[in-house]
Amino acid sequence: MAELDTGFFVRWLTAAAAAVEREADTLTELDSAIGDADHGVNMRRGFTAVTAALAEKPPASPGAALGLAGRTLVSKVGGASGPLYGTLLRRTGRELGDAATVSREDLARALGVGVEAVAALGGAAEGDKTMLDALLPAVRALPRSFAAARQAASEGAVATVPMRARRGRASYLGDRSIGHEDPGAASSLLLVSALEQTAGRGDG
Ligand code: ADP
Ligand code: MG
């Protein structure tokens, strides 16, 4: 299996930032239906800062790249998504340690730990209509392939539409949260799609 090096992780995070930039208005529209209409703004501010930080201090390892990105999100994003995505990337990065390259399976394992840390921090589980509904299926599918992970994230995001929110701002709406896609699940799909795109089709 192809090993993923530091350059791969920098390209992934850069592709994620580009996707967030492109889809920021859509993310904010989703958040205007069941939240406070700032998810696109939050994600754009955070990922613009991530791109700048990676350029300023080129990371020495995959784990360092994720750690830097995670710390940047925590410091730049005020909404719930900043600490949650920040925790995801920092915890995943810590799990990868200082290895110069990692396999897709290593990444799947590390992301599994990172996603569990998000669940612990936010007190959410699958089915609560949050980013976890895209992230957990994606991480479970990643050992199969990058494409399978993206497909699972996509299905997970769509599956949040009929859910009633039990965590985060959307939960204040109760039944009125039903019928809308969760903004954080939509942004998680962007991150997983960027991962597949970076790996290139056919690369596992
Ligand atoms: P805020 O809710 O503070 O305005 P954002 O709008 O940036 O922050 O992010 C909202 C997204 O964060 C939600 O769509 C949801 O996916 C995610 N989220 C919110 N609370 C939680 C939580 N407790 N656990 C997991 N994800 C959460
Ligand atoms: Mg919001």
Side-chain angles (χ1 to χ4, degrees):
M1 181 191 298
E3 292 280 313
L4 312 172
D5 62 10
T6 307
F8 174 92
F9 282 81
V10 171
R11 289 195 299 281
W12 171 26
L13 293 163
T14 305
V20 162
E21 181 67 40
R22 195 178 61 236
E23 299 294 329
D25 289 349
T26 305
L27 296 177
T28 286
E29 263 167 52
L30 292 173
D31 198 33
S32 73
I34 58 169
D36 57 352
D38 66 355
H39 190 54
V41 175
N42 286 340
M43 293 296 285
R44 179 194 273 146
R45 184 190 312 119
F47 274 88
T48 299
V50 165
T51 312
L54 290 170
E56 195 181 316
K57 296 184 225 155
S61 66
L66 294 178
L68 175 58
R71 290 194 304 279
T72 303
L73 290 179
V74 170
S75 71
K76 297 288 175 188
V77 181
S81 57
L84 292 164
Y85 278 125
T87 293
L88 173 67
L89 298 183
R90 287 166 69 186
R91 191 69 191 84
T92 301
R94 175 143 48 101
E95 210 53 32
L96 294 178
D98 58 7
T101 64
V102 301
S103 67
R104 177 161 44 74
E105 275 143 6
D106 295 332
L107 177 58
R109 201 159 38 240
L111 274 171
V113 175
V115 172
E116 282 311 317
V118 173
L121 176 65
E126 214 163 349
D128 285 350
K129 196 179 183 99
T130 71
M131 57 176 68
L132 291 174
D133 291 304
L135 292 173
L136 281 164
V139 166
R140 282 198 296 267
L142 187 56
R144 253 183 297 142
S145 70
F146 288 109
R150 193 261 312 143
Q151 179 70 30
S154 173
E155 288 167 11
V158 169
T160 63
V161 174
M163 289 178 188
R164 182 181 188 281
R166 284 194 286 257
R167 283 288 180 270
R169 251 173 227 289
S171 66
Y172 308 156
L173 292 180
D175 285 346
R176 281 181 294 133
S177 65
I178 293 171
H180 304 278
E181 184 176 343
D182 177 65
S187 58
S188 288
L189 170 58
L190 294 181
L191 305 193
V192 178
S193 296
L195 180 62
E196 183 201 19
Q197 183 197 319
T198 305
R201 283 170 204 285
D203 185 305

